[in-house]
Amino acid sequence: MISQVFTTSISGEPELVLETHHLHLEAPNWTRDGRALVLNGDGVLWRFDLATNSLDRIPVSDVPELNNDHVLAPDGEHVFVSAADGHIYRARLTGGRATRVTNDTGRLHFLHGISPDGAALAYVGLEPEGGNLWARANIFTIPSQGGPDLQLTSGTTPADGCEFSPDGSWIYFNTEEFSPGHAQIARIPAMGGDAEQLTFDERVNWFPHLSPDGTAAVYLSYPPGTLGHPGGLDVELCVVADDWTEPVRRLPLWGGQGTINVPSWSPTGERFAYVAYTE
């Protein structure tokens, strides 16, 4: 499997910035200074310098193997990661010892968003039942330094991909609340309230990411009937304006899981990053 990392503007041609068959790279996000991408690969974090094309491991320690859910703190110095033990950890972006943030709730914690001021994290809390990992999957927030959890959804259908709006007042996410088995994009007030559906098509939509100024968003769109968010499918990245009507751009690629799981816009909002795959 070859991992191909691209960046593109809302309307421009994609630019291939990195290709490798040595690592299965996933979930790119941009450093605060715009100089590098941070990605997950083989259970650890990597930093790809866009100027020198160097790919270097970020030596985070005292943490189990990582999955592809990680977000960068607004201070430009820290990263928050989800690990194989179901907890979220905080570490310096240069590496070093990680500190656990989440509580022993019995849930599995999958991180997806951080508030604009860095004070809160948004995560998906999974409460498996029997052999069903997604028996209960709801949206929560927690202070980024640790503290009490706030549950925002309490549905019996899965929710995922939670990310704060640039002003911190909303959390955007994908949910099957409105049509079980058929994920659509929605948003909910960050302090709690009713969810508002934003996409209404036959496709299966995941992982909304808003541009820094809130005037555009990109999300991952699967073919109708897709269950969950698998990899290895013909998918689309859909770009919408802030009114969330018909996409202004559809970018087809082969991917899915790993393509755009985390906040992926550059600090200026001029470009976003994603991963495509090829045999």
Side-chain angles (χ1 to χ4, degrees):
M1 181 78 68
I2 299 174
S3 300
Q4 297 176 312
V5 183
F6 291 87
T7 69
T8 188
S9 63
I10 290 177
S11 58
E13 288 298 315
E15 178 186 356
L16 177 63
V17 297
L18 172 62
E19 181 175 281
T20 176
H21 11 169
H22 303 297
L23 283 170
H24 182 72
L25 293 173
E26 299 180 294
N29 42 28
W30 234 289
T31 56
R32 187 75 171 178
D33 58 14
R35 297 178 179 176
L37 300 175
V38 175
L39 306 101
N40 175 272
D42 291 351
V44 299
L45 287 181
W46 300 85
R47 183 184 188 275
F48 176 66
D49 190 293
L50 291 163
T52 65
N53 294 327
S54 60
L55 182 66
D56 299 299
R57 179 175 174 173
I58 299 174
V60 176
S61 61
D62 294 311
V63 64
E65 181 176 316
L66 307 181
N67 67 20
N68 59 21
D69 297 321
H70 55 269
V71 299
L72 305 187
D75 65 8
E77 297 181 358
H78 293 88
V79 60
F80 293 87
V81 297
S82 295
D85 64 353
H87 283 287
I88 296 170
Y89 293 79
R90 176 179 182 265
R92 296 194 66 83
L93 197 50
T94 52
R97 184 177 181 180
T99 303
R100 201 180 91 181
V101 174
T102 43
N103 303 305
D104 288 317
T105 61
R107 292 187 293 268
L108 303 176
H109 307 76
F110 292 93
L111 174 66
H112 281 280
I114 187 167
S115 61
D117 60 3
L121 304 175
Y123 72 87
V124 180
L126 300 187
E127 298 176 71
E129 191 173 273
N132 182 9
L133 181 67
W134 291 84
R136 287 185 298 277
N138 286 292
I139 306 300
F140 296 78
T141 62
I142 187 173
S144 59
Q145 301 298 318
D149 302 89
L150 173 64
Q151 184 168 351
L152 298 180
T153 68
S154 56
T156 57
T157 56
D160 203 346
C162 43
E163 182 173 313
F164 283 89
S165 61
D167 64 3
S169 61
W170 295 90
I171 290 179
Y172 287 71
F173 64 110
N174 55 268
T175 177
E176 297 182 9
E177 174 184 350
F178 306 103
S179 181
H182 183 188
Q184 293 288 285
I185 306 301
R187 68 177 186 174
I188 193 170
M191 297 307 295
D194 295 327
E196 174 188 355
Q197 187 174 354
L198 297 173
T199 60
F200 298 85
D201 58 14
E202 64 179 3
R203 296 182 64 84
V204 176
N205 301 320
W206 282 72
F207 300 135
H209 304 304
L210 277 70
S211 63
D213 64 3
T215 61
V218 60
Y219 61 88
L220 177 65
S221 184
Y222 283 99
T226 303
L227 299 179
H229 55 296
L233 291 179
D234 288 316
V235 297
E236 296 177 347
L237 292 179
C238 293
V239 181
V240 292
D242 56 2
D243 58 6
W244 283 84
T245 55
E246 183 68 19
V248 299
R249 184 182 189 186
R250 295 182 183 271
L251 184 65
L253 58 102
W254 197 69
Q257 170 72 333
T259 288
I260 195 167
N261 292 58
V262 298
S264 52
W265 289 86
S266 67
T268 62
E270 295 176 351
R271 303 181 73 80
F272 60 88
Y274 63 94
V275 185
Y277 303 95
T278 185
E279 295 294 344

